[in-house]
Amino acid sequence: MSAMLKEQMVKVFSLMKPGMLFQFEPELDAFLEFLIWRFSIWVDKPTPGNGLMNLRYRDERAVEVREKVRTGLEGPGLTVAQKIWYCVASVGGQYLWARLQSFSAFRRWGDSEQRPIGRRAWYLIQRIEGFYRAASFVNLLIFLYTGRYRSLIERFLQARLVYGSPHMNRAVSFEYMNRQLVWNEFSEMLLLLLPLHNSSSMKSLLHPFSKDKSSNAGSDESFCPICQANPSIPFVALPCQHRYCYYCLRTRCSAAPSFRCSRCNEPVVAMQRHGGSVDNLAQK
């Protein structure tokens, strides 16, 4: 959802100065994440993804002191403090970490020429990031085993995702996705086959079945049948003696050795300048 909103926001500023949004990308990401939090978790509603999966947040601290629950309906939602800390950790934490990383990279704290304080801060950032990744991986293993707290923030706040309704069907229609996949495969196939397609051969193949052969026969033969213009360098195709532009006739004969005349569908074996010598295509 954040990526979709960001794409639309970038389109709004597409006519502005190039690179302007790049300087404020962390602020833009934080603003969009805040909007999602404000209109979902803060008002006790699931996020769009959780809503599709029939999930909601529950305060696990209030449930543990009660009797064992049987469904996901029991238990209250998150408290105000949990919601605020969730925003601070997920939105504010990610923003501050992104800004800190960009600032340290811009100041080149990791270079050996910098002061010892900068290098120590760089090593500290790297160690904190490594520790967070390791803790996230351990939490993922625990989540796969127990099914509780998919992230460290949820584990710290004890905010657990549970069913919103026990009888709600979570089946998602994939009809649109199937159509999109079929169209993508079809377009990729066309992109693969169209460069291999010879338009001259296909046109000559379908020419006998064309309904406008009589109109072509009665058209002005002083114009080139390919570009429909008066030939600047007139050449005639042999043996049918129909006039073409030199470049039109030469390119078609070079692309298809078995090129047929566009007017009479007769094979072209040679070309001759209008009133000049014969240019044998077989010798070429």
Side-chain angles (χ1 to χ4, degrees):
M1 181 62 67
S2 177
M4 293 174 60
L5 293 176
K6 184 178 180 180
E7 182 181 359
Q8 299 299 323
M9 188 71 69
V10 170
K11 290 182 179 179
V12 172
F13 295 94
S14 60
L15 300 179
M16 303 296 290
K17 181 180 178 181
M20 185 184 67
L21 283 182
F22 180 76
Q23 303 175 359
F24 305 99
E25 187 173 3
E27 285 78 8
L28 179 61
D29 294 338
F31 175 71
L32 296 178
E33 292 289 345
F34 175 79
L35 287 181
I36 296 176
W37 170 85
R38 171 61 181 80
F39 294 102
S40 59
I41 298 178
W42 177 251
V43 293
D44 293 325
K45 292 183 179 180
T47 60
N50 292 339
L52 289 176
M53 295 183 291
N54 186 27
L55 297 175
R56 69 175 182 91
Y57 277 114
R58 182 179 68 187
D59 185 8
E60 202 69 7
R61 298 175 302 178
V63 176
E64 291 179 353
V65 298
R66 301 179 181 180
E67 60 182 7
K68 185 177 179 181
V69 296
R70 296 183 179 181
T71 67
L73 295 177
E74 293 85 353
L78 300 182
T79 62
V80 176
Q82 285 178 313
K83 298 175 184 178
I84 295 177
W85 279 112
Y86 186 93
C87 178
V88 171
S90 60
V91 180
Q94 292 182 5
Y95 167 71
L96 293 177
W97 187 254
R99 269 304 179 191
L100 180 61
Q101 285 187 325
S102 61
F103 181 78
S104 62
F106 178 75
R107 293 291 181 176
R108 303 174 64 182
W109 286 355
D111 295 346
S112 58
E113 294 83 3
Q114 297 294 328
R115 294 176 298 178
I117 298 179
R119 288 189 57 81
R120 291 177 182 176
W122 176 261
Y123 287 140
L124 180 62
I125 292 174
Q126 297 299 319
R127 290 184 178 180
I128 292 176
E129 183 177 7
F131 176 78
Y132 179 79
R133 292 180 180 274
S136 299
F137 179 72
V138 174
N139 181 79
L140 175 62
L141 297 179
I142 299 176
F143 170 73
L144 294 177
Y145 181 75
T146 62
R148 293 187 175 188
Y149 312 121
R150 59 177 181 175
S151 66
L152 291 176
I153 299 176
E154 294 178 359
R155 184 172 296 276
F156 175 76
L157 298 176
Q158 294 189 2
R160 183 182 177 185
L161 286 172
V162 294
Y163 287 115
S165 174
H167 303 295
M168 180 178 177
N169 187 10
R170 294 195 299 165
V172 181
S173 176
F174 294 99
E175 182 179 357
Y176 173 77
M177 185 180 297
N178 292 336
R179 291 199 304 264
Q180 188 71 16
L181 290 175
V182 171
W183 173 249
N184 288 339
E185 294 297 331
F186 181 70
S187 59
E188 291 180 0
M189 182 184 65
L190 289 180
L191 291 176
L192 177 64
L193 296 180
L194 284 180
L196 305 177
H197 171 64
N198 193 329
S199 59
S200 300
S201 302
M202 184 63 65
K203 184 177 179 180
S204 61
L205 179 63
L206 299 177
H207 185 77
F209 305 98
S210 177
K211 297 181 180 180
D212 58 348
K213 291 190 293 182
S214 58
S215 60
N216 290 338
S219 60
D220 190 0
E221 295 188 358
S222 62
F223 292 95
C224 175
I226 297 177
C227 64
Q228 300 298 325
N230 192 15
S232 57
I233 306 178
F235 266 68
V236 294
L238 298 179
C240 62
Q241 297 291 329
H242 286 125
R243 295 180 60 183
Y244 289 84
C245 295
Y246 169 74
Y247 296 105
C248 294
L249 185 59
R250 170 57 66 185
T251 52
R252 292 302 177 92
C253 292
S254 299
S258 59
F259 174 68
R260 294 176 176 269
C261 179
S262 301
R263 294 189 183 277
C264 62
N265 201 31
E266 187 173 352
V268 178
V269 297
M271 54 187 295
Q272 177 184 1
R273 183 160 188 158
H274 190 63
S277 58
V278 177
D279 187 359
N280 197 336
L281 295 176
Q283 295 178 359
K284 297 292 184 181

